Amino acid sequence: MAVLEGLKPEKVFHFFEKLCEIPHGSTNMKEISDYLVSFAKERNLKYYQDESYNVVIYKDATAGYEDAPITILQGHCDMVAEKTPDSDHDFMKDGLKLQIEGDYITADGTTLGGDDGIAVAYMLAVLDDDTLKHPALECVITTDEEIGLLGAKALDTSVLKGTHMINMDSEEEGYLWISCAGGLSGTSRIPVEYQEMEGVVTEVLIDGLNGGHSGAEIDKNRANANKLMGLFLYELGQKIGYSIKDLSGGTKDNAITRSCKAAIVTDAEDVEEVKAVAEKLQAELRAEYAGSDEGITISVTPGKEETVEALSLVSKEKVVFYLVHVPFGIEKMSGEIEGLVETSSNLGILKLGKDALYSTSSVRSSVGSAKEHLSAKLQYLTEFLGGSYEEQGDYPAWEYKKDSQMRDLMVDVYEELFGEKPAVKAIHAGLECGLFYDKIEGLDCVSFGPTMIDIHTTEEKLSIPSTKKMWKYLVRTLEKMNTIQ
């Protein structure tokens, strides 16, 4: 028996569970893309699939909607693949283990992929139901959104004729998003050298952080474990001499890092000082992040005395200097839209390799020049330390459209159905809307979605009542598209 069987709307949850059975972490896209093609073929629907595994499925307008504007429904089919430390889940071959907890759907030991599997499920449910009223539809399902909007970037939008678009990659019911930040991933490579050292190898683990999405949660005063490790290593260096054998934290540049691990080499008599620095800093950080990240834990596990390869003194100082000074968090708030983060950076990935320290930061801004300036700041810091810097996945901001028929219609439909106006907002997180807006001249676009909690983490939850409510909203919006001329 399917875990979600009996939940309503039945088609939506049926297709969501089907999608969850197929591995679909970013870069592992072929199987789910081929499933979408098979779905279209089985229903005799026209489709398009490209080399990036993006899929577009077309459906003709229902009677009476032939003159309504062609409407694009859009979302992405990849998910952030994160799991708990004790999980043996293999994202390359295993489906998700869904669970129902009260009014929420979760996955056992992994991320859920409600971001953005629920959008795909909504589209499949619309395409599968011939009783719904709607204009001609172009259902666009993109790939590798979570690693730089790569699918949307590669998509040839000449296969689309739509003039209005509903993106369904938002995570809070009651909000309509009408603008978003642009962004890029900045990767630094700082060369390091090792030397043979003798001492006690001690593991330092910083974890217990809340983490979260580096756009949506960047304003919630949550700590970044990679940055905290830099602070710990700096504080430790004020007390004792040591070196670094290993260092790693985070796997996604767009997720605020929850855990960072280092292996350091010290004299045996200095192990107690390592513990003392960790204990003092843990207390200070819990006070500093009270109310937002007070679960921060710094644990110290001494090992045995041995001879190992560890960073030279100069290389160690370069690594610590970089971690202390690399930007994290809000750089600037918007001067035009109250409460909107304009520019931010997140050090999401950190890895000490055999020849270099590698790190990747997610840079976001709703102002193109501010994004470029912050990226240049990362480049300058990296090159100052003798390293090299590369930008990847650059995507444009989705600019605010003063006159929007789509926005006006969706505000009216929301008020009609639920007796209150939705909040119309700009968002700091990156959405694929920016790329479509950049490629399709005059595109009128709005983004919405059901409530999800803690996306990109193993605590991710999808609200069942909100999914039902937003399905009703989508269906009614499509019914009203024939009022737009």
Side-chain angles (χ1 to χ4, degrees):
M1 179 178 174
V3 175
L4 306 186
E5 188 173 339
L7 295 183
K8 297 183 182 302
E10 293 179 1
K11 285 183 182 289
V12 172
F13 286 114
H14 165 76
F15 287 120
F16 182 72
E17 186 158 9
K18 183 64 180 177
L19 294 167
C20 289
E21 293 171 2
I22 304 170
H24 58 286
S26 300
T27 75
N28 186 26
M29 296 282 90
K30 186 178 188 304
E31 185 177 355
I32 197 163
S33 180
D34 288 345
Y35 165 75
L36 296 170
V37 168
S38 296
F39 171 95
K41 288 180 177 179
E42 289 169 3
R43 290 157 182 80
N44 295 315
L45 296 172
K46 181 183 173 185
Y47 69 90
Y48 167 82
Q49 182 185 39
D50 67 13
E51 293 181 355
S52 297
Y53 299 117
N54 295 305
V55 174
V56 181
I57 304 177
Y58 305 85
K59 191 171 186 181
D60 292 337
T62 53
Y65 286 77
E66 295 86 355
D67 295 330
I70 298 172
T71 303
I72 300 169
L73 300 182
Q74 194 270 321
H76 63 88
C77 62
D78 65 312
M79 64 176 284
V80 170
E82 292 282 354
K83 61 182 180 180
T84 58
D86 59 346
S87 173
D88 60 359
H89 186 89
D90 185 342
F91 279 104
M92 295 303 293
K93 64 180 183 180
D94 296 338
L96 304 178
K97 298 176 182 176
L98 300 185
Q99 301 177 145
I100 297 176
E101 296 180 1
D103 283 339
Y104 292 92
I105 300 168
T106 67
D108 183 16
T110 68
T111 38
L112 173 66
D115 172 22
D116 193 23
I118 194 59
V120 182
Y122 276 157
M123 284 186 268
L124 298 184
V126 169
L127 292 167
D128 191 57
D129 193 337
D130 292 331
T131 68
L132 301 179
K133 299 176 182 179
H134 56 74
L137 297 175
E138 298 173 333
C139 293
V140 181
I141 303 161
T142 51
T143 56
D144 292 337
E145 187 269 354
E146 301 290 4
I147 55 173
L149 287 71
L150 302 183
K153 200 168 187 178
L155 181 66
D156 177 4
T157 54
S158 69
V159 302
L160 303 176
K161 304 303 180 187
T163 56
H164 295 67
M165 186 170 99
I166 302 173
N167 167 278
M168 296 173 285
D169 191 15
S170 300
E171 296 89 33
E172 194 166 0
E173 172 195 310
Y175 285 78
L176 299 182
W177 302 108
I178 43 76
S179 176
C180 75
L184 60 83
S185 294
T187 298
S188 298
R189 179 190 180 278
I190 300 173
V192 296
E193 295 180 348
Y194 289 79
Q195 64 184 38
E196 194 173 89
M197 294 188 67
E198 183 178 353
V200 175
V201 178
T202 298
E203 181 183 285
V204 179
L205 176 64
I206 299 181
D207 65 356
L209 285 70
N210 287 321
H213 189 280
S214 65
E217 274 83 43
I218 202 71
D219 62 342
K220 293 180 170 54
N221 195 38
R222 295 182 182 179
N224 181 305
N226 290 333
K227 286 290 291 181
L228 297 189
M229 183 61 78
L231 180 58
F232 170 81
L233 294 173
Y234 171 77
E235 294 287 342
L236 185 64
Q238 306 307 299
K239 301 291 185 180
I240 65 170
Y242 72 93
S243 190
I244 303 171
K245 177 179 178 289
D246 292 310
L247 177 63
S248 63
T251 59
K252 309 291 181 184
D253 71 300
N254 61 356
I256 301 173
T257 310
R258 304 173 66 191
S259 177
C260 184
K261 182 186 296 184
I264 62 173
V265 185
T266 69
D267 293 335
E269 58 267 26
D270 288 332
V271 171
E272 291 305 312
E273 187 65 47
V274 177
K275 294 179 179 179
V277 171
E279 184 177 351
K280 180 175 181 292
L281 184 59
Q282 175 181 287
E284 292 172 347
L285 291 172
R286 287 183 175 182
E288 182 178 338
Y289 288 94
S292 61
D293 234 339
E294 63 272 10
I296 296 168
T297 299
I298 306 178
S299 56
V300 175
T301 307
K304 61 182 180 179
E305 191 162 357
E306 54 185 315
T307 300
V308 297
E309 292 289 314
L311 293 181
S312 67
L313 177 60
V314 172
S315 292
K316 183 204 78 172
E317 291 300 328
K318 285 166 62 176
V319 167
V320 175
F321 185 91
Y322 176 80
L323 289 178
V324 169
H325 290 90
V326 66
F328 165 69
I330 298 171
E331 288 281 308
K332 184 177 181 295
M333 298 295 291
S334 172
E336 294 184 325
I337 302 176
E338 184 177 355
L340 175 67
V341 177
E342 178 194 280
T343 308
S344 74
S345 180
N346 175 63
L347 177 61
I349 304 173
L350 186 68
K351 179 64 179 178
L352 182 60
K354 292 181 178 180
D355 60 349
L357 176 74
Y358 298 89
S359 71
T360 303
S361 292
S362 175
V363 177
R364 302 176 188 270
S365 183
S366 52
V367 177
S369 60
K371 179 182 68 176
E372 293 169 5
H373 294 157
L374 181 52
S375 182
K377 186 176 181 179
L378 286 167
Q379 181 174 358
Y380 185 33
L381 173 61
T382 302
E383 293 178 350
F384 177 80
L385 296 171
S388 58
Y389 178 80
E390 180 183 2
E391 293 181 350
Q392 294 177 319
D394 193 355
Y395 58 93
W398 169 25
E399 297 179 4
Y400 173 73
K401 190 178 179 72
K402 185 177 180 181
D403 298 314
S404 168
Q405 293 177 313
M406 195 78 247
R407 180 180 67 238
D408 293 345
L409 173 65
M410 293 187 72
V411 168
D412 290 345
V413 170
Y414 196 95
E415 188 171 16
E416 171 198 321
L417 287 176
F418 309 122
E420 58 182 358
K421 287 185 178 293
V424 179
K425 297 283 187 179
I427 189 173
H428 185 58
L431 292 172
E432 292 165 302
C433 302
L435 284 163
F436 287 94
Y437 182 83
D438 190 55
K439 291 182 178 184
I440 303 174
E441 185 176 355
L443 182 67
D444 194 352
C445 181
V446 174
S447 179
F448 86 103
T451 296
M452 285 175 257
I453 299 172
D454 292 327
I455 64 168
H456 296 185
T457 77
T458 54
E459 283 74 46
E460 182 182 358
K461 296 178 175 65
L462 170 65
S463 169
I464 297 169
S466 184
T467 299
K468 180 178 180 180
K469 183 177 178 180
M470 291 301 95
W471 167 251
K472 181 179 180 181
Y473 180 47
L474 173 63
V475 169
R476 184 59 175 157
T477 298
L478 293 177
E479 287 179 355
K480 299 283 282 185
M481 285 299 297
N482 63 354
T483 64
I484 292 179
Q485 302 298 323

